Amino acid sequence: MKTICLYFEIHQIIHLKRYRFFDIGTDHYYYDDFENERSISDIAERSYMPALNTLLQMVKDNDKYFKVAFSLSGVGIEQLEMHAPQVLEKLQELNDTGCVEFLAEPYSHGLSSLAKPEAFARDMNKQVQKMVEYFGKKPTVARNSSLIYSDDIGAQIAALGFKGMLTEGAKHVLGWKSPHYVYNCNIAPSLKLLLRDVELSDDISLRFNNPEWPGYPLFADEYINRIARFPEEEQVINIFMELSALGIAQPLSSNILEFIKALPVCAKEKGITFSTPTEICLKTKSVGALDVPDTLSWVDEERDVSCWLGNAMQREAFEKLYSVADRLLIADDPRINQDWDYLQASNNFRFMTTKQSNVGLDRGIYSSPFDAFTNYMNILGDFINRVNALYPEEIDNEQLNSLLTTIRNQGDEIEMKDKEIERLKAKLEKLGVADEPEPAKKAAPKKAAKAAPKAEKAPKKAAKK
């Protein structure tokens, strides 16, 4: 029986402000708060809330037959907490239905998987904790920023304990194979891979409202009929996109939500179900390993990482940022760590791209890739100075790690002793013994009184002389 895995990504760009060379050392705040609030509020109103309300209604109307998956970047959650908490409340309401799965992804929505395994593991684990905090369950399936994947990244994800991972069903990787099967990581066979159907996903997220597209207008029954016509053995249909596609990329006036709402009705008529990624990983066997020696993603026609690291400016910024990664992993400064998360976000590097793209790129305040590079490097210069001020470059990472470990151990030891003192005090109180015996308090004045007469004899001796 065919099943559809419908997944939406929620991420919000952190907009950097105009930061000049002369601001380095004097201004340590890098963000355009007005634009951040404006943009997230706009997306929440025009896309997130209408889309989530529709998806919730779909679950209720179809008696839990309809299922859907989401992932949220940590930096995106922080923006929602500040400017659009109603989105998180709606996601929690969806979570309560039992028909929604939340996946793990890098907290920063960054490129740490291409830099250092330790930084990537920290990024993933931090977001997992956030998912548990909001939705009460630890994710078992992961996805990387923009579905970035390679054999090495898959091995890292498997080592973190995940059962499955989403990635792109790119033609240059699949060759003659179909994305409608479950595969496994070439290096870590226990990690199952769910591959995005590029055409079906982009028909909704990119082409739905394009009158020049041959498939326009797209109707739900035609869409489901295409899925039903796939060979019987092709049973897993993965449709992955950003949630902002519903309302932003494809405006609400295009009836995109009416299309989405009709999908489960039409699918049920064809005997097609909906499943979450974990359900597919548990129920469906892998048909074989997928060999992905080079990194792929879901961006641009090349489906690689060239939109982030394709030119010398991007690579220089990337290398400079991650040159302090080891020190940041050791450090435990909340403000520094937050800036680190925000500066890792992949859009900072995307703004520097010189590639032509079929999908329009809004560079925001930047007039050119070089302008984006200059602004980011000014900010990065100040950030690295702050890191070095906390932990001077003269102290190498090994020494710094040893020093901070000693400090933490001492802190843990003090905390344990404090707890032991409190425990003993409680025990004494239970036995009815006072902290300081009463006789000892009375003895002190008597000793002082005896000492006084001796002090008075000294002047008499002096008088005789």
Side-chain angles (χ1 to χ4, degrees), residues 118-126 328-329 337 340-341 344:
E118 298 82 4
F120 182 50
R122 172 193 177 277
D123 223 0
M124 293 295 298
N125 289 331
K126 187 175 181 180
L328 265 295
L329 290 171
N337 286 339
W340 168 248
D341 288 332
Q344 283 189 87

Side-chain angles (χ1 to χ4, degrees), residues 65-84:
Y65 159 79
F66 174 72
K67 297 177 182 179
V68 65
F70 298 94
S71 75
L72 297 84
S73 68
V75 297
I77 292 175
E78 290 185 18
Q79 291 297 296
L80 292 171
E81 287 173 335
M82 287 189 286
H83 306 304

Side-chain angles (χ1 to χ4, degrees), residues 216-229:
Y216 179 87
L218 181 62
F219 295 102
D221 56 348
E222 294 176 2
Y223 189 83
I224 293 297
N225 285 339
R226 284 167 57 190
I227 294 174
R229 287 195 295 268

Side-chain angles (χ1 to χ4, degrees), residues 340-402:
W340 168 248
D341 288 332
Y342 291 175
L343 293 177
Q344 283 189 87
S346 62
N347 56 276
N348 293 315
F349 302 94
R350 184 79 189 275
F351 292 149
M352 303 175 200
T353 186
T354 52
K355 284 180 60 180
Q356 297 297 319
S357 175
N358 293 332
V359 181
L361 174 61
D362 180 5
R363 297 185 200 271
I365 63 172
Y366 306 124
S367 59
S368 67
F370 182 74
D371 186 27
F373 170 74
T374 302
N375 200 68
Y376 184 79
M377 293 302 280
N378 286 341
I379 291 173
L380 198 53
D382 182 78
F383 176 73
I384 291 176
N385 286 343
R386 288 166 57 207
V387 173
N388 290 336
L390 283 175
Y391 312 107
E393 289 181 288
E394 292 76 21
I395 304 176
D396 63 33
N397 290 335
E398 189 173 342
Q399 289 176 312
L400 179 60
N401 193 19
S402 176

Side-chain angles (χ1 to χ4, degrees), residues 199-219:
E199 186 176 350
L200 287 174
S201 301
D202 288 352
D203 281 353
I204 298 175
S205 62
L206 298 182
R207 295 182 281 267
F208 184 83
N209 193 44
N210 181 6
E212 297 180 2
W213 172 47
Y216 179 87
L218 181 62
F219 295 102

Side-chain angles (χ1 to χ4, degrees), residues 132-143:
V132 173
E133 175 187 333
Y134 269 99
F135 307 112
K137 189 175 181 181
K138 185 176 179 180
T140 57
V141 175
R143 56 93 59 180

Side-chain angles (χ1 to χ4, degrees), residues 15-78:
H15 296 273
L16 302 178
K17 68 181 182 182
R18 180 65 66 180
Y19 193 93
R20 305 187 186 282
F21 176 79
F22 297 105
D23 294 326
I24 298 174
T26 61
D27 184 2
H28 304 318
Y29 193 77
Y30 312 133
Y31 314 107
D32 186 340
D33 289 334
F34 175 80
E35 181 58 24
N36 284 326
E37 182 176 2
R38 186 207 64 77
S39 60
I40 190 67
S41 300
D42 180 61
I43 292 174
E45 181 181 350
R46 293 168 53 202
S47 172
Y48 291 170
M49 289 306 294
L52 293 175
N53 282 325
T54 297
L55 293 169
L56 179 60
Q57 193 61 46
M58 290 164 67
V59 172
K60 293 177 179 178
D61 290 347
N62 292 280
D63 194 27
K64 298 191 175 184
Y65 159 79
F66 174 72
K67 297 177 182 179
V68 65
F70 298 94
S71 75
L72 297 84
S73 68
V75 297
I77 292 175
E78 290 185 18

